[in-house]
Amino acid sequence: MKQKTGTAAAAGRTAYEAKVGAEAVLRSGGKNPQLKGVVHEILYRDAITLTPENLVSGTKGVLSKSATAVRDDVLTMRGGAVVGRAQLKDTLNSVEHTVRQAASGKYTGTKLMGTKETVEAYNAAVTRMAKSGTVVTQKMTSTGISSADTSRIAAQTIGGSLQAASVAKAALTSSGTGAVLSGGVEAVLSGVKLAKGEIDGEEFVGNVAKETVGGGLSAAAGTAAATVVGAGAATALASVSAPVWVPGAIAVGAAVAVGSGIKSLWDSLWD
């Protein structure tokens, strides 16, 4: 039986991102042109909840009641108590406004956080303002999430342009995940065969190497296809009343079809 772990990784990622996009649309009350900001909130909430230590302790991320909350976008909860507050920013193109708001004390009492790119732009703006005599004391820390990803997920959900770099980045990260998962699965399967004497050490190494590369290729191709096809479908359906989950479903289908095709081609080279 041929392994499809890399394809499954691409399909799983695509399905998760489709879920995030659909939830963002519901939270913002429609196809908000600034949807990426809400996508950022949901990704960060999930990142808090899914860290191993928080899964053990029962700590979780919770979205504020309003998508336009003045101070807190995401709360960290443990045992019914609030143990953390964060105001999130994905405002690379309007970071000067964010800095002025911080200088006025708007975000006092909460943790100001931004995407990787927003933090870099914020720090640069703070430095510029300091040279002109305005001191901004509130720091912005990174959520670890890239604006390239929030913009890409928004485009896959409601349509819009895609940056080639964001597609390549998504494919690259999926490639790594697919390679690790596929290689790991094959190490277990071939390890059993090795223990039984059905294959030798050289065959074991070859099998693991083959599946590692094949899994990475299929995950990368599946994710790239899902991104492009999903965004194209969302753009085409933007003017009609199609359910918000339709582009995501199309994207998952593309991930499976292309990922499986690439993996089958790779396997055929070894048969």
Side-chain angles (χ1 to χ4, degrees):
M1 180 177 176
K2 301 295 185 181
Q3 249 206 72
K4 299 293 183 182
T5 308
T7 299
R13 173 179 178 155
T14 302
Y16 168 70
E17 291 181 348
K19 186 277 295 183
V20 169
E23 185 179 355
V25 170
L26 291 174
R27 177 167 170 77
S28 60
K31 297 181 178 181
N32 186 340
Q34 298 303 316
L35 192 70
K36 68 173 185 172
V38 185
V39 168
H40 185 208
E41 295 173 14
I42 295 169
L43 290 174
Y44 182 62
R45 176 205 64 190
D46 291 349
I48 292 173
T49 302
L50 296 175
T51 59
E53 59 269 28
N54 286 345
L55 287 172
V56 171
S57 67
T59 302
K60 62 181 180 179
V62 178
L63 298 176
S64 65
K65 292 183 179 180
S66 171
T68 57
V70 174
R71 194 183 71 167
D72 304 323
D73 289 321
V74 179
L75 304 175
T76 303
M77 307 285 294
R78 183 185 301 127
V82 177
V83 296
R85 301 174 181 274
Q87 168 71 207
L88 268 57
K89 295 296 180 183
D90 188 0
T91 54
L92 180 60
N93 296 326
S94 58
V95 74
E96 297 281 353
H97 178 64
T98 300
V99 175
R100 287 193 295 271
Q101 289 178 316
S104 71
K106 183 175 181 179
Y107 305 122
T108 300
T110 193
K111 187 174 184 180
L112 185 60
M113 304 188 74
T115 60
K116 297 175 182 178
E117 296 86 350
T118 301
V119 171
E120 184 177 348
Y122 181 91
N123 290 337
V126 167
T127 300
R128 289 194 300 271
M129 291 181 70
K131 291 179 180 178
S132 63
T134 300
V135 177
V136 181
T137 58
Q138 185 155 24
K139 304 296 183 182
M140 178 185 282
T141 57
S142 176
T143 59
I145 298 165
S146 172
S147 292
D149 289 326
T150 61
S151 297
R152 177 178 54 78
I153 293 172
Q156 291 171 208
T157 306
I158 61 174
S161 60
L162 281 173
Q163 297 294 322
S166 70
V167 178
K169 177 178 177 291
L172 182 61
T173 54
S174 278
S175 174
T177 301
V180 170
L181 291 175
S182 296
V185 169
E186 187 58 37
V188 173
L189 296 176
S190 287
V192 172
K193 293 180 180 179
L194 179 63
K196 291 181 177 179
E198 296 175 3
I199 60 174
D200 59 23
E202 184 177 351
E203 289 174 300
F204 171 83
V205 173
N207 288 346
V208 173
K210 169 200 165 190
E211 291 300 335
T212 297
V213 175
L217 290 172
S218 60
T223 296
T227 299
V228 174
V229 171
T235 300
L237 296 171
S239 60
V240 301
S241 58
V244 70
W245 54 263
V246 171
I250 294 172
V252 171
V256 172
V258 174
S260 296
I262 291 297
K263 186 57 167 57
S264 294
L265 178 61
W266 176 254
D267 288 338
S268 70
L269 297 176
W270 291 78
D271 291 338

